[in-house]
Amino acid sequence: MLDEEEFEEVSTLYRTVFHRSTERTMEAIFAPVSQAYERLTGYAGCHPNTVMHHRIAQYGPPCTACGKPLRTPEARYCAACGKVRQEPAASSR
């Protein structure tokens, strides 16, 4: 997963090679994206289109029951286990 700074780097590279490449195969066109992702995460072999979905900000916090990330930051329940999300208590003044 990529934090915002890492995602900005990879997404900028993705847009650049998408619009400027003269290569014929998808692997050759997006090789710089795959290489950058591997450098940032240590994970080799991730498809470039998949890389664009590996953004931490796209997901919510971990579920308090099962630990899996909620599907969106606004999710009200965990899609994996069904636990209803507990919102932090509002501070009273």
Side-chain angles (χ1 to χ4, degrees), residues 21-65:
S21 181
T22 58
E23 295 290 338
R24 298 289 236 178
T25 66
M26 194 163 159
E27 290 81 15
I29 292 169
F30 292 104
V33 176
S34 297
Q35 292 164 356
Y37 185 77
E38 182 177 352
R39 179 178 47 79
L40 292 167
T41 66
Y43 183 77
C46 193
H47 192 278
N49 287 342
T50 306
V51 168
M52 300 310 292
H53 297 283
H54 287 191
R55 183 180 192 178
I56 293 173
Q58 194 172 341
Y59 300 94
C63 173
T64 57

Side-chain angles (χ1 to χ4, degrees), residues 11-26:
S11 64
T12 299
L13 187 56
Y14 184 94
R15 286 188 303 275
T16 301
V17 299
F18 185 81
H19 293 293
R20 294 185 183 166
S21 181
T22 58
E23 295 290 338
R24 298 289 236 178
T25 66
M26 194 163 159

